[in-house]
Amino acid sequence: MSRPAPAAASRLVYSTDAGRICPDCRQPATACSCGRPQRTIPPAGGPIRVSREKAGRGGKLVTVVRGLPLDDEALAALGKRLRTACGTGGTAKDGQLELQGDHVDKVVAWLVAQGHPTAKRAGG
Ligand SMILES: [Zn+2]
């Protein structure tokens, strides 16, 4: 491992607290949520609903998980593990997870085992 050259190091300390302010809301970049989709994260302990639905016109069955108390990043990570557990594909978007195929019972059991005891089957 080599240390950075002096020139590179001085560039690294250039940014200051006031250096990154959002031009739209005048908030520091770290506090700004402009351009990010606004989404309310459900409170932990709320109901997590797992339902089997038909996606699109093709009518393919998908398993949808709603109400997870996770931000988008954590949701995506959980979705990846869930897809691996179910051996199927799917997506994480708009605060919900979607898995291809009917895996409702397996998903409920998996979520409970992962520390989400409020996970329940919803709908038919
Ligand atoms: Zn902003």
Side-chain angles (χ1 to χ4, degrees):
M1 298 296 277
S2 62
R3 281 187 284 173
S10 67
R11 254 183 277 131
L12 285 175
V13 297
Y14 175 74
S15 67
T16 65
D17 286 350
R20 286 168 58 81
I21 299 289
C22 174
D24 295 326
C25 65
R26 298 288 177 193
Q27 294 292 310
T30 50
C32 165
S33 58
C34 298
R36 291 183 212 164
Q38 293 292 319
R39 179 165 79 76
T40 305
I41 298 171
I48 296 169
R49 304 290 186 195
V50 184
S51 59
R52 184 182 60 199
E53 298 175 13
K54 285 186 178 178
R57 294 179 172 218
K60 282 184 186 172
L61 285 175
V62 295
T63 303
V64 181
V65 185
R66 294 186 177 86
L68 286 162
L70 303 171
D71 62 27
D72 290 340
E73 198 174 323
L75 190 75
L78 187 80
K80 191 172 181 182
R81 289 163 54 215
L82 184 55
R83 290 196 293 277
T84 301
C86 291
T88 188
T91 57
K93 63 175 182 180
D94 302 331
Q96 65 187 44
L97 296 177
E98 198 174 289
L99 291 173
Q100 291 162 14
D102 176 6
H103 304 280
V104 171
D105 292 331
K106 189 167 186 173
V107 168
V108 170
W110 188 86
L111 286 169
V112 170
Q114 296 292 314
H116 297 287
T118 64
K120 284 186 176 62
R121 182 181 187 125

Tab-separated table of all heavy atoms in Angstrom, residues 22 24-25 32-34, ligand 1:
chain	number	residue	atom	x	y	z
A	22	CYS	N	-27.324	21.924	-1.441
A	22	CYS	CA	-28.246	21.719	-2.550
A	22	CYS	C	-28.787	23.065	-3.031
A	22	CYS	O	-29.266	23.856	-2.224
A	22	CYS	CB	-29.399	20.834	-2.105
A	22	CYS	SG	-30.677	20.673	-3.360
A	24	ASP	N	-31.403	23.655	-4.664
A	24	ASP	CA	-32.866	23.680	-4.669
A	24	ASP	C	-33.446	23.956	-3.290
A	24	ASP	O	-34.297	24.815	-3.130
A	24	ASP	CB	-33.417	22.361	-5.202
A	24	ASP	CG	-33.057	22.155	-6.663
A	24	ASP	OD1	-32.997	23.170	-7.393
A	24	ASP	OD2	-32.817	21.014	-7.069
A	25	CYS	N	-32.994	23.227	-2.298
A	25	CYS	CA	-33.613	23.357	-0.977
A	25	CYS	C	-32.693	24.025	0.037
A	25	CYS	O	-33.077	24.249	1.162
A	25	CYS	CB	-34.056	21.989	-0.465
A	25	CYS	SG	-32.700	20.848	-0.150
A	32	CYS	N	-30.300	16.635	2.102
A	32	CYS	CA	-31.198	16.932	0.992
A	32	CYS	C	-31.876	15.675	0.479
A	32	CYS	O	-31.256	14.632	0.357
A	32	CYS	CB	-30.394	17.572	-0.129
A	32	CYS	SG	-31.256	17.594	-1.691
A	33	SER	N	-33.149	15.803	0.163
A	33	SER	CA	-33.833	14.654	-0.432
A	33	SER	C	-34.438	15.026	-1.781
A	33	SER	O	-35.299	14.325	-2.292
A	33	SER	CB	-34.906	14.127	0.514
A	33	SER	OG	-35.824	15.135	0.818
A	34	CYS	N	-34.006	16.140	-2.363
A	34	CYS	CA	-34.464	16.499	-3.693
A	34	CYS	C	-34.038	15.408	-4.678
A	34	CYS	O	-32.938	14.896	-4.594
A	34	CYS	CB	-33.847	17.814	-4.149
A	34	CYS	SG	-34.296	19.203	-3.121
B	1	ZN	ZN	-32.222	19.575	-2.088
